[in-house]
Amino acid sequence: MTRKILIIGAGQVGASLGTAWLACGHDVRYGVSNPDDPKHAGLPRERLQSARERRDAEVVVLATPYPAARSALEALGDLSGAIVIDCTNPLGMGPEGLHLTVGFDTSGGEEIARFAPGASVFKTLNQTGAENMAHAAAFQPRSMMFVAGDDEARKPIVMELVADLGFESIDAGPLRAARLLEPLAMLWIDLVIKHGHPREMAFARLRRD
């Protein structure tokens, strides 16, 4: 089923997700601060719009840096009834490099839900690099992507969108499970930045016979 998706942010993550969902037949728009900015030249101009307009999007994908998430959501106004997919990770820089700034008695995903009252917030598409989101279908076996959220009635929509990208979409339970998924993202980042693993690496779920 075709979904109307608004991606807030057109950086690597937003552009990768949008390109992949467009290829699946979804109606994708990119919400950016200035649609005429030359830095967006690689994206279809007719799909760029102001980040302050939700229009008729059923699904809002938050693909900004975490510190910009609150203002991005507030700029959209009332999000009651919308599905919000939170792809962010609450990262900061410290003496040992990147680290999580939120956890473990709450999570970035739960904070995002506070910023968007009335919306159905799901944490997913935060556990691997943007390159892997653009080419998830190329992994054998399939790479996995966990989905956490409280709205059980609408979770299948998000699970399907994640699967459309080529991931094995796995239900991780309620939104509070974002407290586990954000450290999983930090593990991927740490392995790539500090331990020399290739960015083309992704996590997978295997079963023994």
Side-chain angles (χ1 to χ4, degrees), residues 28-52:
V28 176
R29 304 280 173 174
Y30 299 93
V32 295
S33 57
N34 179 10
D36 295 317
D37 193 317
K39 71 181 180 181
H40 303 310
L43 298 173
R45 178 60 183 85
E46 69 275 11
R47 295 196 173 274
L48 295 173
Q49 67 178 61
S50 169
R52 294 180 173 272

Side-chain angles (χ1 to χ4, degrees), residues 15 17 24-25 31 34 52 72 78 174 189 196:
L17 292 174
C24 295
N34 179 10
R52 294 180 173 272
D78 184 8
I189 293 168

Side-chain angles (χ1 to χ4, degrees), residues 6 11 22 30 61 71 89 101 104 109 111 117 131 157 160 183 205:
L6 171 61
L22 280 169
Y30 299 93
V61 179
S71 60
N89 284 305
T101 60
F104 291 95
E111 294 302 297
E131 306 91 330
I157 297 173
E160 181 179 348
R205 178 173 67 170

Side-chain angles (χ1 to χ4, degrees), residues 127-142:
Q127 302 145 47
T128 192
E131 306 91 330
N132 297 335
M133 296 181 195
H135 304 288
F139 285 92
Q140 292 296 332
R142 281 195 299 166

